Amino acid sequence: MSELSKKDCVSLEEAMKELGVVRNTFNMYLVALGIPKHKFPLDRRLFITKEDFSRLKKFLEENKSPRS
């Protein structure tokens, strides 16, 4: 398997902002879907892969509850 690079990932902060969720909710989704967090040397941010981010977005869109 090829090595993961930053360009293949999105930071947790960017993902939370795009999805409009807070950290606790976001972490709950990651655990529920089994999505791992990645850290790169000399960077204090955490990342998830773009593929996992797409999977998370799809999950949220499919399970969005209609607001009345």
Side-chain angles (χ1 to χ4, degrees):
M1 184 173 157
S2 64
E3 192 155 329
L4 189 64
S5 69
K6 264 194 219 183
K7 69 178 180 178
D8 301 324
C9 298
V10 59
S11 74
L12 295 189
E13 291 81 14
E14 293 170 6
M16 287 186 291
K17 186 176 180 180
E18 186 170 330
L19 297 174
V21 296
V22 295
R23 184 176 299 272
N24 285 339
T25 303
F26 187 77
N27 283 328
M28 180 188 68
Y29 291 144
L30 295 182
V31 170
L33 295 173
I35 297 175
K37 299 175 192 173
H38 304 281
K39 187 155 177 56
F40 295 99
L42 305 176
D43 195 337
R44 58 188 173 126
R45 297 178 295 169
L46 289 171
F47 296 84
I48 60 173
T49 64
K50 289 181 180 177
E51 182 179 313
D52 284 337
F53 181 64
S54 296
R55 189 165 61 105
L56 177 57
K57 276 177 63 171
K58 183 178 178 189
F59 172 79
L60 293 177
E61 289 169 4
E62 290 174 352
N63 294 295
K64 189 180 290 187
S65 62
R67 295 191 177 182
S68 16

